[in-house]
């Protein structure tokens, strides 16, 4: 489907992981010979949801494009919830998990083609501890690695790998009580993921039954470290060993931990928490995706 006479606001995060591409120039050159209208808003350290909403109100676009990683997408999505404005994605982050999930190319020209030639579909999101999550959130091992990743100079996949190796044997088992469908389950876990999507940006398929268009999200409980399980998630996408990994489906969740545990949403480390509450927000966003 071709979108005619689009009015696009590009929200650009120059601090995102893939800063080797001059996105402003790429976008400007692409739209020079089209009838579409474009404008730019460059994120700064002092900007917030209110400042972005002001730009949206002033420009009145029919599509706002997040140019960055999952954190940038989350920020833009928070501004577009409960509106009819389309959201576009140009993957410019370190991992670009949601873009990969939706099949959006990391080649600039191909990603820009999707904005003008793709179609829009509604996806669900989750509200976790009153914050928006469009991709994946977790407590435990991965969130701890995110904390270490933020504090080291190396970015991208190798930086995350080094951070993961650093915390792999430092993360204690979490004593967790999970409440799903009015049932309480007590368990010990290395990590618990609240997943809209199927995989992390590094390609690890953590949630093989995920679907961004249903009315449910998944809760993946990693009970034990297992390099074989990690291999399956990364390369063969085989079913999980239920002795080590268990998956629940729900539209609401409440979790309590005996001790404070590391917590992240969409790649942003948010400190330690003792309680996590999540609820589904169905058909919350209209995203431009490739034609299938």
């Amino acid at each position: 489907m071709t979108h005619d006479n689009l009015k696009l606001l590009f929200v650009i995060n120059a601090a995102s992981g893939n800063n080797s591409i001059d996105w402003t120039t790429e976008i400007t050159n692409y739209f020079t010979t089209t009838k579409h209208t474009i404008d730019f808003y460059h994120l700064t350290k002092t900007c917030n949801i209110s400042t972005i909403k002001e730009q949206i109100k002033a420009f009145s676009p029919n599509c706002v494009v997040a140019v960055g990683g999952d954190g940038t997408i989350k920020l833009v999505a928070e501004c577009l919830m409960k509106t009819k404005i389309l959201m576009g994605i140009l993957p410019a982050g370190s991992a670009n998990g949601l873009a990969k999930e939706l099949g959006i190319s990391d080649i600039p020209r191909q990603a820009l083609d999707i904005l003008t030639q793709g179609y829009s579909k509604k996806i669900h999101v989750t509200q976790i501890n009153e914050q928006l999550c469009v991709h994946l959130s977790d407590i435990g091992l991965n969130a701890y690695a995110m904390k270490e990743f933020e504090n080291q100079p190396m970015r991208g996949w190798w930086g995350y790998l080094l951070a993961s190796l650093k915390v792999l044997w430092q993360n204690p088992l979490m004593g967790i009580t999970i409440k799903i469908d009015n049932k309480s389950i007590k368990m010990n876990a290395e990590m618990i993921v609240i997943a809209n999507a199927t995989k992390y940006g590094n390609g690890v398929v953590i949630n093989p039954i995920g679907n961004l268009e249903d009315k449910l999200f998944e809760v993946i409980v990693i009970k034990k470290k297992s390099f074989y399980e990690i291999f399956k998630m990364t390369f063969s996408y085989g079913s999980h060993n239920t002795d080590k990994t268990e998956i629940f489906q729900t539209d609401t969740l409440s979790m309590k931990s005996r001790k404070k545990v590391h917590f992240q949403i969409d790649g942003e480390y948010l400190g330690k928490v003792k309680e996590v509450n999540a609820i589904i927000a169905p058909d919350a966003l209209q995203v431009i995706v490739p034609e299938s």
Side-chain angles (χ1 to χ4, degrees):
M1 179 180 72
T2 301
H3 301 279
D4 296 319
N5 299 319
L6 283 172
K7 197 174 183 183
L8 303 107
L9 175 64
F10 291 87
V11 178
I12 299 178
N13 183 1
S16 287
N18 186 2
N19 52 19
S20 62
I21 297 171
D22 184 344
W23 281 101
T24 303
T25 299
E26 291 279 353
I27 294 163
T28 301
N29 290 343
Y30 181 91
F31 285 98
T32 297
T33 58
T34 72
K35 295 181 180 179
H36 305 299
T37 305
I38 65 171
D39 199 4
F40 299 96
Y41 180 64
H42 295 268
L43 296 177
T44 65
K45 291 182 179 179
T46 57
C47 71
N48 53 38
I49 292 171
S50 296
T51 57
I52 298 172
K53 283 185 174 180
E54 287 172 8
Q55 293 293 319
I56 294 171
K57 184 177 180 181
F59 185 60
S60 190
N62 48 26
C63 179
V64 179
V65 184
V67 186
D70 290 324
T72 307
I73 292 169
K74 174 188 172 185
L75 191 61
V76 170
E78 289 186 73
C79 300
L80 301 183
M81 291 274 288
K82 299 179 181 178
T83 74
K84 295 181 179 180
I85 301 172
L86 300 175
M87 184 172 76
I89 297 171
L90 294 179
S94 297
N96 305 307
L98 185 63
K100 289 178 181 176
E101 187 79 26
L102 296 170
I104 297 172
S105 174
D106 58 3
I107 299 171
R109 178 82 191 193
Q110 293 179 12
L112 287 160
D113 281 343
I114 291 167
L115 295 180
T116 58
Q117 300 168 25
Y119 73 100
S120 66
K121 76 173 180 180
K122 292 182 179 180
I123 65 171
H124 73 253
V125 300
T126 49
Q127 295 282 351
I128 304 175
N129 285 9
E130 299 184 350
Q131 291 205 46
L132 179 68
C133 175
V134 294
H135 188 230
L136 295 166
S137 173
D138 53 57
I139 59 172
L141 186 62
N142 182 64
Y144 190 7
M146 290 281 184
K147 177 179 183 292
E148 293 300 317
F149 177 69
E150 288 182 356
N151 296 327
Q152 66 178 25
M154 185 178 289
R155 311 309 294 166
W157 163 242
W158 286 108
Y160 174 76
L161 179 61
L162 289 174
S164 299
L165 291 173
K166 183 176 180 181
V167 306
L168 190 60
W169 305 113
Q170 299 177 19
N171 189 62
L173 279 173
M174 303 177 294
I176 299 288
T177 301
I178 298 178
K179 188 173 182 180
I180 295 175
D181 300 328
N182 295 318
K183 295 179 181 178
S184 291
I185 307 166
K186 290 187 177 182
M187 60 180 64
N188 293 322
E190 295 277 358
M191 171 176 157
I192 298 178
V193 184
I194 302 170
N196 283 334
T198 61
K199 58 189 173 184
Y200 284 104
N202 56 20
V204 172
V205 178
I206 194 70
N207 178 27
I209 63 173
N211 183 348
L212 286 164
E213 298 174 73
D214 63 13
K215 301 295 190 290
L216 300 168
F217 59 88
E218 285 72 45
V219 183
I220 301 94
V221 180
I222 310 295
K223 301 175 185 177
K224 298 177 183 178
K225 296 185 188 83
S226 169
F227 288 108
Y228 180 59
E229 285 290 288
I230 293 171
F231 179 86
K232 284 196 301 182
M233 292 175 188
T234 307
F235 299 107
S236 68
Y237 313 137
S239 58
H240 296 323
N241 180 339
T242 54
D243 290 333
K244 297 175 182 176
T245 305
E246 193 167 0
I247 300 178
F248 303 91
Q249 281 190 308
T250 186
D251 58 4
T252 58
L253 166 73
S254 177
M255 290 193 296
K256 291 185 179 180
S257 173
R258 287 200 296 266
K259 297 180 179 179
K260 284 191 173 183
V261 292
H262 297 284
F263 173 53
Q264 70 88 18
I265 295 178
D266 290 338
E268 181 183 359
Y269 179 73
L270 296 172
K272 286 187 169 184
V273 296
K274 288 190 74 174
E275 187 169 346
V276 174
N277 296 292
I279 188 168
I280 197 76
D283 299 334
L285 290 172
Q286 291 192 78
V287 185
I288 299 180
V289 297
E291 286 192 292
S292 52

